[in-house]
Amino acid sequence: MENGEDDETMSMVTITSAVGEWSLLTASFALFVGIYLGVLTMPITTEYAVVAGLVIWALFFLSLVILEYKAVTTVVGGLIHSAVGGLRNSAGVASTLFTPSKSKSIENQTKIYSCHL
């Protein structure tokens, strides 16, 4: 691999890692604040507030997993669609590369026809 490609790959890895860490931090902070507010607004005893906090956490975590699954399948589906389209275009180019031109095709048919006479 060339040095320029290594630098580009490393910068993409750095950007992707930073976005992932930011996503993790903001989701964790939002989860903490949501549970804290949920527990504070409960007009019930402490034991039930803890259970309510865990239920809020479970529902948040479940919705987060579902949304991330949908996002990942959308991205992966788009990548697969692009890859398949690229392969189809490459196959079309390769087939036209090995297909004789119209003048060569006519010339070959003329040779075949003249051999049979």
Side-chain angles (χ1 to χ4, degrees), residues 16-113:
T16 304
S17 297
V19 168
E21 290 171 4
W22 178 253
S23 170
L24 180 65
L25 288 174
T26 56
S28 298
F29 180 72
L31 177 61
F32 174 76
V33 170
I35 290 174
Y36 183 73
L37 290 175
V39 170
L40 279 181
T41 58
M42 290 281 171
I44 52 179
T45 61
T46 307
E47 300 88 32
Y48 294 117
V50 170
V51 172
L54 289 174
V55 169
I56 292 170
W57 175 81
L59 290 174
F60 177 83
F61 189 74
L62 182 65
S63 64
L64 187 67
V65 166
I66 290 171
L67 291 174
E68 285 182 0
Y69 173 76
K70 287 184 178 185
V72 167
T73 54
T74 300
V75 169
V76 169
L79 289 174
I80 290 173
H81 180 70
S82 297
V84 169
L87 289 174
R88 284 184 182 154
N89 287 339
S90 297
V93 169
S95 68
T96 57
L97 181 67
F98 294 111
T99 303
S101 65
K102 289 191 177 203
S103 61
K104 279 285 191 187
S105 179
I106 292 171
E107 183 180 317
N108 289 340
Q109 287 177 359
T110 307
K111 286 180 183 178
I112 292 171
Y113 182 72

